[in-house]
Amino acid sequence: MSVPGPPPPDGVLAGPPDVLEASEPTPGLSDTSPDEGLIEDLTVEDKAVEQLAEGLLSHYLPDLQRSKQALQELTQNQVVLLDTLEQEISKFKECHSMLDINALFTEAKHYHAKLVNIRKEMLMLHEKTSKLKKRALKLQQKRQKEELEREQQREKEFEREKQLTAKPAKRA
């Protein structure tokens, strides 16, 4: 029995060229399981395991640390970006509120103009009604005066008729 050497770097198969050919099956290996035919009674030394672990860590650890640092920076940048986004959203809302305020001022101007027109119309109607009341009062006074004159005329006519009526002479 032979003890296999360290694994080849980067997955390159090492061995005699005649074993690597695909045309001949490797003796002792079956098609059902790749683990059949391996030596199971192989004793692994702790030092080899430790060296393999150190090699694996030295190979992947710097990349993992750089990735960890990059992730931390991204997380910090994400917090800053979220704060900036919140500020932009608040500015956007403020702009919309300014547009709403402008719309309210425009609407207020429109209704103010309507109120001014209504006030003018009310003043005009008040003046017309005042003139009509004065005219009605004058007409009422004129009618009363005419009725008084007619009544006086009737009384004069009645007196005249009374005087024109024959009076019996007094006998003495």
Side-chain angles (χ1 to χ4, degrees), residues 31-45:
D31 293 336
T32 59
S33 172
D35 291 337
E36 287 183 22
L38 291 178
I39 301 170
E40 295 179 11
D41 297 330
L42 181 63
T43 57
V44 179
E45 296 180 15

Side-chain angles (χ1 to χ4, degrees), residues 2-40:
S2 65
V3 176
D10 297 318
V12 176
L13 293 176
D18 59 339
V19 175
L20 294 176
E21 292 180 351
S23 62
E24 293 182 18
T26 308
L29 292 178
S30 95
D31 293 336
T32 59
S33 172
D35 291 337
E36 287 183 22
L38 291 178
I39 301 170
E40 295 179 11

Side-chain angles (χ1 to χ4, degrees), residues 3-167:
V3 176
D10 297 318
V12 176
L13 293 176
D18 59 339
V19 175
L20 294 176
E21 292 180 351
S23 62
E24 293 182 18
T26 308
L29 292 178
S30 95
D31 293 336
T32 59
S33 172
D35 291 337
E36 287 183 22
L38 291 178
I39 301 170
E40 295 179 11
D41 297 330
L42 181 63
T43 57
V44 179
E45 296 180 15
D46 289 338
K47 190 173 184 179
V49 169
E50 188 177 317
Q51 286 177 348
L52 285 173
E54 284 179 15
L56 185 66
L57 283 176
S58 67
H59 183 70
Y60 288 109
L61 190 61
D63 290 337
L64 289 173
Q65 287 176 340
R66 281 192 300 272
S67 297
K68 180 180 179 182
Q69 188 175 4
L71 282 173
Q72 286 175 343
E73 287 178 18
L74 286 174
T75 305
Q76 290 172 350
N77 289 343
Q78 185 179 18
V79 170
V80 170
L81 287 175
L82 285 174
D83 290 341
T84 306
L85 183 64
E86 280 294 322
Q87 291 173 356
E88 292 299 319
I89 288 173
S90 66
K91 287 179 185 176
F92 186 69
K93 286 180 181 177
E94 189 175 307
C95 287
H96 275 308
S97 66
M98 291 298 289
L99 290 176
D100 292 341
I101 290 172
N102 287 338
L104 286 175
F105 276 117
T106 304
E107 192 174 354
K109 286 180 186 177
H110 174 72
Y111 285 117
H112 181 264
K114 276 188 169 184
L115 284 173
V116 167
N117 287 337
I118 290 172
R119 186 167 189 254
K120 285 180 183 177
E121 287 180 20
M122 288 178 68
L123 288 173
M124 186 179 65
L125 289 174
H126 178 71
E127 287 176 11
K128 283 184 178 180
T129 54
S130 296
K131 287 180 183 178
L132 286 174
K133 284 180 182 179
K134 287 180 184 178
R135 186 175 172 202
L137 186 62
K138 285 181 183 177
L139 285 175
Q140 186 179 10
Q141 289 173 351
K142 187 176 178 182
R143 283 186 188 152
Q144 287 176 352
K145 187 177 179 182
E146 287 176 356
E147 283 183 27
L148 185 64
E149 287 176 359
R150 275 191 233 135
E151 191 66 32
Q152 288 175 353
Q153 186 71 23
R154 279 190 214 139
E155 283 182 24
K156 283 182 184 177
E157 284 180 21
F158 181 69
E159 284 293 320
R160 190 172 160 204
E161 279 184 26
K162 205 177 188 188
Q163 288 176 358
L164 291 177
T165 329
K167 292 183 184 176

